[in-house]
Amino acid sequence: MQSRRDELGCDSLCYGTMTSVRSALGLVGTAVMGRLSDKNGSMLALTLGSVGKGMTSVVDGATINTISPSGRRACLFLGTIATLLGLAIAVSMDSLHGLWLSMIPGALLQHNFDVFKALLSEYHNDIEHEPKNNGSDAKDGSNEAPVSSRSGSVGKLGMAAGISFMIGPLIAAVASPTFRFAVYFAIVCTLASGLVIFYLPMPVALAQQKESEHNIHEKDHLQAQKSEFTLMNLLKLRTSKSRAAVILLVIRLNMALAFHIFNTIWPASLKARFNFGPSDHAKFMSFFGVTYAFSQGFLAKRLVALWGKDGKVYIIMACCAVLGAGRYVAYYTESLVVIYATFLFIINALGTLNTVLTADTGSIAPSNEVGGLFGILQAAESAAGMIGPFLGGVISHYLGKDAPLIAVVGVYGSLFAFVSWGYERYVTSTNNDDGVYEEGISGGKEVKKSI
């Protein structure tokens, strides 16, 4: 896409504006798509969400295939359609205007990665509740097993995305002589993704629902009225779940801000010290992709399994320390070998931290609200993508070229203290609870209700 932008005359101002617009559309799209994916009674779920392979059961010797409306499947299909629309616009309009228009559908509606994270959370909810439903002993496995299992699934999802980002540009550079050929190849891959979504099994809890359409609509209406995982309800901090979500929101927001602030000085620093060119950046990004895939697909699950649920706070604190100190070392060293060695630790820390936070996010929200929570967190990261570069530029202009680095190290130092103070108290303890807490009307105490 960079060569395409250069060919169409999209300069730095054009690219910066496009990035800001994409972030703004993503800010809206992630929140909306996350909330829509939770609604199995919406018109979108009853149309797109009813297309696909259902649950097969045998009743009186006859095989019956039942398909329950699914907001998750509907949003996955909608994201796939948005990608196809953007690619069709890109290949049919050979102009800067077409480049802008092709960006809009995907930025607004293609948030399948967040929907997949919510779907994984539902799968694990089914697995964790299965022993109780079958009447077997709930103590068959240790408490740490579901935690490491969640982290492992989230890690594999991140690993798949990392490998795709690494292999995709390589295939395009080697096998696609023209932009048009690359777009057609992307269309084929997107259609294959849609076919997989068609056969994707929905969670058992959803597939076993036998509600009428009227009851589903009524349930979604009541859920919208009393949902605690909306931004305004979260900020009221009334329940233990909402307080846990705000802790995760603060961590995610500050991590994204630190990334975008650091990115305002990092490319220029590499250029000044090592005369980094396009090929050097390609090699570095390949190294980043491989290491990130390893951290999410292999390292994170084993660290969580080793330290257990109660040790997650120490894993997060260690990752914050590595991310802050590692960037400081990488920025000032004059050795390219040291930079690669430092980023080996930075990338593994980032992948592990993202895996742990995503797994905990999926475990604090019920299945019918987890999509909305993921949407809010992703929207916060999109907001940081709009604010961070501007904030980094202002800090660099008024406080000196090294000031953004000090700000980034300060952010991670603050996160280290913040996690030490509140993560175990509000997030880990909430995951240990079996019920949902609501604030009592009188006395201000929390009353535990069974799910």
Side-chain angles (χ1 to χ4, degrees):
M1 286 302 292
Q2 182 59 54
S3 60
R4 179 66 172 174
R5 285 191 291 265
D6 294 339
E7 180 183 337
L8 295 176
C10 184
D11 56 13
S12 58
L13 177 61
C14 166
Y15 178 63
T17 306
M18 186 177 292
T19 302
S20 297
V21 172
R22 182 185 292 110
S23 297
L25 291 173
L27 178 66
V28 176
T30 49
V32 172
M33 294 298 287
R35 188 60 61 188
L36 278 176
S37 73
D38 289 333
K39 295 183 179 299
N40 297 322
S42 66
M43 185 60 65
L44 183 66
L46 293 172
T47 52
L48 279 178
S50 298
V51 178
K53 185 176 176 62
M55 285 286 293
T56 301
S57 58
V58 178
V59 179
D60 295 332
T63 302
I64 300 176
N65 188 47
T66 57
I67 301 177
S68 299
S70 169
R72 304 269 190 258
R73 196 198 297 272
C75 288
L76 291 174
F77 275 132
L78 188 59
T80 303
I81 293 170
T83 301
L84 291 172
L85 180 59
L87 291 171
I89 294 173
V91 77
S92 61
M93 298 181 66
D94 189 18
S95 64
L96 195 59
H97 183 63
L99 184 67
W100 271 88
L101 289 178
S102 66
M103 174 266 298
I104 295 175
L108 190 61
L109 300 175
Q110 171 52 280
H111 301 287
N112 285 9
F113 190 72
D114 297 296
V115 178
F116 274 123
K117 289 191 287 188
L119 192 58
L120 277 177
S121 296
E122 284 197 82
Y123 288 148
H124 279 280
N125 288 342
D126 286 343
I127 293 171
E128 291 170 15
H129 292 140
E130 185 177 0
K132 295 181 182 180
N133 293 337
N134 292 338
S136 61
D137 191 0
K139 297 181 180 180
D140 288 343
S142 63
N143 291 334
E144 288 76 19
V147 179
S148 61
S149 179
R150 279 183 185 268
S151 300
S153 297
V154 172
K156 289 182 178 67
L157 181 64
M159 179 178 67
I163 292 175
S164 299
F165 279 115
M166 179 184 64
I167 295 178
L170 179 63
I171 294 176
V174 173
S176 59
T178 64
F179 174 76
R180 184 175 294 271
F181 180 88
V183 171
Y184 287 145
F185 182 76
I187 289 175
V188 172
C189 292
T190 306
L191 290 173
S193 173
L195 183 63
V196 173
I197 293 172
F198 180 87
Y199 285 101
L200 188 69
M202 290 295 104
V204 175
L206 170 64
Q208 290 179 343
Q209 287 179 352
K210 299 296 181 182
E211 298 173 302
S212 67
E213 183 175 323
H214 173 75
N215 290 337
I216 293 176
H217 278 296
E218 185 177 354
K219 180 180 179 181
D220 279 345
H221 177 69
L222 292 175
Q223 173 190 334
Q225 287 183 325
K226 61 184 181 181
S227 172
E228 64 177 313
F229 291 103
T230 62
L231 183 60
M232 296 306 298
N233 287 340
L234 288 181
L235 295 179
K236 293 176 183 178
L237 303 176
R238 288 181 175 176
T239 67
S240 60
K241 298 281 187 179
S242 64
R243 289 190 286 271
V246 169
I247 294 291
L248 293 167
L249 178 65
V250 170
I251 295 174
R252 285 287 193 187
L253 180 62
N254 280 277
M255 285 176 58
L257 278 175
F259 170 81
H260 288 290
I261 291 173
F262 184 73
N263 219 34
T264 60
I265 59 173
W266 178 242
S269 172
L270 287 176
K271 179 71 173 177
R273 286 179 293 164
F274 307 105
N275 195 27
F276 245 51
S279 62
D280 298 306
H281 279 289
K283 293 175 184 176
F284 186 76
M285 292 309 297
S286 296
F287 168 77
F288 191 103
V290 172
T291 308
Y292 192 76
F294 169 81
S295 68
Q296 291 219 310
F298 180 83
L299 183 63
K301 177 180 179 179
R302 282 155 180 79
L303 284 176
V304 172
L306 178 65
W307 285 84
K309 182 181 294 186
D310 295 332
K312 281 189 298 182
V313 62
Y314 301 110
I315 296 176
I316 298 174
M317 291 168 62
C319 289
C320 290
V322 170
L323 287 168
R327 281 184 165 88
Y328 186 91
V329 172
Y331 185 80
Y332 282 116
T333 184
E334 295 296 330
S335 170
L336 193 57
V337 174
V338 173
I339 284 185
Y340 272 91
T342 304
F343 264 85
L344 179 66
F345 288 96
I346 290 175
I347 298 166
N348 276 295
L350 181 63
T352 301
L353 181 55
N354 280 330
T355 301
V356 172
L357 294 179
T358 301
D360 282 348
T361 302
S363 63
I364 67 171
S367 296
N368 60 347
E369 295 188 64
V370 68
L373 180 55
F374 275 119
I376 290 174
L377 296 181
Q378 189 60 41
E381 294 186 23
S382 297
M386 298 171 61
I387 299 171
F390 172 76
L391 189 58
V394 170
I395 293 173
S396 178
H397 180 75
Y398 288 103
L399 300 178
K401 64 176 184 177
D402 295 342
L405 174 67
I406 305 303
V408 169
V409 174
V411 167
Y412 279 113
S414 301
L415 281 179
F416 182 92
F418 182 74
V419 170
S420 175
W421 165 75
Y423 200 88
E424 186 174 6
R425 179 183 303 177
Y426 294 110
V427 180
T428 305
S429 62
T430 301
N431 290 341
N432 287 333
D433 292 333
D434 294 325
V436 177
Y437 290 85
E438 293 185 359
E439 188 170 351
I441 298 177
S442 61
K445 295 183 179 180
E446 292 183 336
V447 181
K448 186 174 183 180
K449 292 186 178 182
S450 60
I451 296 179

